Each structure stands twice: as structure tokens, then as C-alpha cells.
Amino acid sequence: MDGNLLYNTSVKKLYEFNIPDLPPSLNSVYKIGRGKMYKSDDVLVFEKIFAYTAPKLPAPIEEEVSLSLTFTFADRRKYKMSDIDNLCKVMLDTLQKFGVIKNDRLIVELNVKKEAGQKDSTVGLLYSKSPL
């Protein structure tokens, strides 16, 4: 695909979501207790929000895709302190866990942006990599 996927009209939109929250940072995803590793409460809450607000698909996407993500921060301090790559990993794992995409290895192109705004949110668009 040539150029920015957001402006390329030769791609097909497969899935779109707008979550009223931000994924937790990768640094806070897992905790260790009693000799076992488990997901933190922050991740469990984000996954629950995703499950209730993201549209459902009849079957997971099984083709190579492009993904565009926009993370909007209401808190300017968190905006400045958050590593964009840490937010991405949790989001990609969530897309796979909830059956949006069969495996996050199918994401072959990633366009990510973070911005300051009025409310925390995560917006995502999945595009087909194959020609129309």
C-alpha cells in the first residue's frame, strides 16, 4: 500500500471501534504473587470496557491488515509520560483476545498517534491489505 493508510482510498475498512478508555501501559499489565504471574486489575478493567463497548464480529479477521490507532488523553501529565509503544501492545493483545483478529501477527502495518483531548479514549480502524 502506498502512502498513509488513512488517506488511501484503495483499502477496505474491516472494523472500527471507539473505546471510552485507554489501555494500561505494558509496564503495569502483569503482577506476580504467590509465585504466579497474573493480569493486573487495570488490564481486567480495560478488557471489560472493550468487551462491552466494541462492536462484535461474527468471526475473527483472518487476513493481513493495517491498523490505525489514536490514543486521546484527558490528563496532560499522562499524555507526556505515556510511551506509545506500551499502549499498542496491550491494544493488539485485546483485539486478539476478543476475536476481532485471529492473531495480532496479521497486523502488518501500524499507524499510531497520541493526542491531548477532553476525554480518555482509544479509536481504532482495521483495513484490509488486499486490493478491493
Side-chain angles (χ1 to χ4, degrees):
M1 181 166 64
D2 296 325
N4 187 327
L5 68 92
L6 293 176
Y7 302 106
N8 192 327
T9 57
S10 67
V11 295
K12 176 182 164 192
K13 183 169 63 170
L14 299 173
Y15 183 76
E16 182 173 1
F17 60 89
N18 188 340
I19 310 301
D21 199 3
L22 292 161
S25 170
L26 186 60
N27 298 328
S28 65
V29 170
Y30 293 104
K31 294 185 175 189
I32 298 174
R34 297 185 183 167
K36 295 183 180 180
M37 190 164 57
Y38 60 95
K39 286 185 179 180
S40 71
D41 291 341
D42 291 344
V43 173
L44 297 175
V45 167
F46 179 75
E47 288 178 347
K48 192 175 280 192
I49 291 169
F50 185 90
Y52 285 114
T53 58
K56 310 299 182 260
L57 288 177
I61 297 168
E62 295 190 37
E63 63 182 90
E64 289 187 344
V65 295
S66 296
L67 174 61
S68 175
L69 290 171
T70 301
F71 300 109
T72 304
F73 292 79
D75 183 334
R76 280 221 178 269
R77 187 178 54 80
K78 284 185 181 179
Y79 167 76
K80 290 180 180 181
M81 298 300 292
S82 293
D83 289 342
I84 202 166
D85 57 329
N86 287 339
L87 297 168
C88 290
K89 180 60 178 153
V90 174
M91 193 67 245
L92 300 182
D93 290 346
T94 302
L95 290 172
Q96 181 175 320
K97 177 180 180 176
F98 287 96
V100 173
I101 189 163
K102 184 168 179 134
N103 193 304
D104 59 7
R105 287 179 286 188
L106 292 168
I107 299 169
V108 296
E109 184 175 29
L110 187 59
N111 180 7
V112 185
K113 175 172 91 170
K114 72 176 189 176
E115 62 188 16
Q118 297 294 319
K119 295 180 181 179
D120 286 346
S121 69
T122 303
V123 175
L125 298 167
L126 280 167
Y127 294 90
S128 172
K129 284 296 290 179
S130 56
L132 294 174

